[in-house]
Amino acid sequence: MFVDFFYILRDSGIPVSPTSFLRLHKALAEGLVSNLDDFYIAARTLLVKSERFFDLYDRVFAHYFRGAELPDFKGMELEAAARELLNEWLQNPEALANALGMSKKELQSLSPEELLKYFMDRLKEQTEAHHGGSKWIGTGGFSPVGHSGYHPGGMRVGGISRNKSAVKVAMDRRYKDYSVEAPLTQAQMGEALKRLRRMVPEGPRDNVNVDETIRATTRNAGEIEIVFDRSLRDRLKIILMVDNGGWSMDPYIQLVQTLFNYARAQFKDIKFFYFHNTIYDYVWEDPPRRFKPQRVEEFSTWDKDTRLIIVGDASMAPYELMATDGSIHIEERSGLPSIDRLHMLADIFSHSAWLNPTPRRIWPMTRTIGVIASIFPMFELTLDGLEQAVTSLMSKN
Amino acid sequence: MSGENATFFSGASKYVLDEELAKIVNISMALEMPLLLKGEPGTGKTMLAHAIAESLSMPLLVLNVKSSLKLVEALYQYDTLTRLNDSRFGDSTRDVSNIEEYIRMGKIGQAFVSEIKTVLLIDEIDKADTDFQDDMLDVLDQMEFDIIEIDKTMKARTRPVIIITSNAKKDLSDPFLGRCNFHHIAFPDQDMMRRILNVHFPSVDQELLEICVRTFYKIREFQGIEKRPATRELINWVRALRADPDFRPKDLIQGKIPFLGILFKKSTDYHQATLQSKRLRI
């Protein structure tokens, strides 16, 4: 019974387990479910284990029992669907053909919104994969939308970021999960991070020191005297946010990966988040930045003593940081500029540090580095820089 | 059949229960599965367990989870210090050579040895680490645990009704979720909130109640607030307003909000709220 319902739930991305499905049948067999409303509630409480899937469940349920339109399973809006489409088309980068659209000057005059609209319009007109040509989306060319095209303020859809600044990214490259083991090359980095482990006695005096107790008791001629030690407690919590999105971070991924491998072993309570270039409404728990978003506001309920470490090159177009709709992700527009979000994070966590993999000597060449360094203490992602960052994170105030 | 009714949960004197949640509680009790409740603070997760215990007249055992809590502490404790003391002074009625007399049951242990069915509330499970959570569910699944010191297996006499709450700061592990029923309690909407207030203040002036609820939901939307006021704060606030002889409901309409300190308990929040309430018009 309802086996296909189970499979539709599975296909829609809700992690339903066969065990829980059997449990639902047990509930049915025991007569706990007498009508459809009961079934709705029982199936949800037994099968769906996170409120994040409640909405999807509702839609699947409505489809199955009321014949409503089947939800678009990947939860994609038009923009995201366009991204998938592009992904397919841009698989063949060798098919770089000359393409002519508007003139370069015309393109420069387009705002991001106009670009996006142009992009969507082209998509609607276009019905097949295509490389090169005058205005269709494909690979290469001068059309403001497409891959590896040359357009100063253009929209980037995959390919290498040539100028470390893109107006819109409509297709992200999703990095593979960093947490996988990688050969360690910089052993000292783990050593430096170790300093973050503040193994100082801070717990209550509730550990009986057996040796000392025996010694004290014998010294007292058998009168029992119990000696307590403070229980050791590593109280440090860490949040690590890593810029894993932009191509501009590409050369530093290896470095960051090393850091990761060490960090995992060093702390008990450490949370990893990922972002692209700078932080807007969300950071993500999963490296592809797609499945597990975390609202930035919610960090205000976290422990204030948590150390916040951000790793990123802080290099981007100034408006990405300053503008109210600066996010290069078209789905993420809250109206608050990223700089406000950064200030908020710096306010929440009194101990924070920004580790920048680019060498300090070239920092003055990028404006946004200066701006961000005025919000977070910024350090080089080197042994020396880490040493300083650790000192700053451990300072009393 | 009154005996039959006694095992079904349908609300308690000070708890406004929505129908959906009542069904979920009843299904969980019938299937004998723990019920995991998530939701922001102040949505009545903890109160639900109290309400179940009250309406089914079962004793309530509360295990407040702390990050340092070890599973064995929730099961039992071997009180070595008392035993050492007894052996030294010998002035107690306990038999020093019998270790069992120095075993004290933790909250889970108490629920197991209880003669009658109990409600076991495991509050804020997300504070503990993942190992604790998984190990605890093993114990609750098998309904037994070993006391190593006296080599004895404690079996549960009755299976307690288990309510687990989480503030959702951390994601719980998949095996854990697999063994629980799940429900997410949304923050009550305005209608629900009026019903809740009516339960707590049966004789309240409806005009006052209306304006308080509207003000409260405006206040919850203040920007930059760290800890937003929840149901508990609203109830205390209404209590304070009713106790104040100088208070006029019209003040609220004009944005004069007395006793902000009841609603905002952190100094930065209070400061923010004071600034923003000056601009507030209901």
Side-chain angles (χ1 to χ4, degrees), chain A residues 23 27 30 32 38 40-42 44-46 48-52 54 223-224 226 268 300-301 304, chain B residues 20 23-24 27 30-31 33 35 38 81 84 88 129 169 171 177-178 180-184 226:
Chain A
R23 232 175 250 142
E30 288 183 13
L32 297 171
D38 285 0
Y40 167 80
I41 293 166
R44 198 186 64 194
T45 190
L46 288 167
V48 187
K49 307 291 185 180
S50 171
E51 69 276 17
R52 284 199 290 267
F54 277 14
E223 195 76 14
I224 291 169
I226 297 162
K268 195 158 188 191
S300 64
T301 64
K304 305 287 164 295
Chain B
E20 191 176 76
K23 280 181 183 160
I24 288 171
I27 287 171
L31 291 178
M33 281 179 69
L35 173 60
K38 270 166 87 174
L81 270 188
L84 190 63
R88 168 101 186 105
D129 56 19
K169 282 179 196 164
D171 259 348
L177 292 173
C180 294
N181 288 341
F182 174 77
H183 185 59
H184 179 265
E226 197 178 313

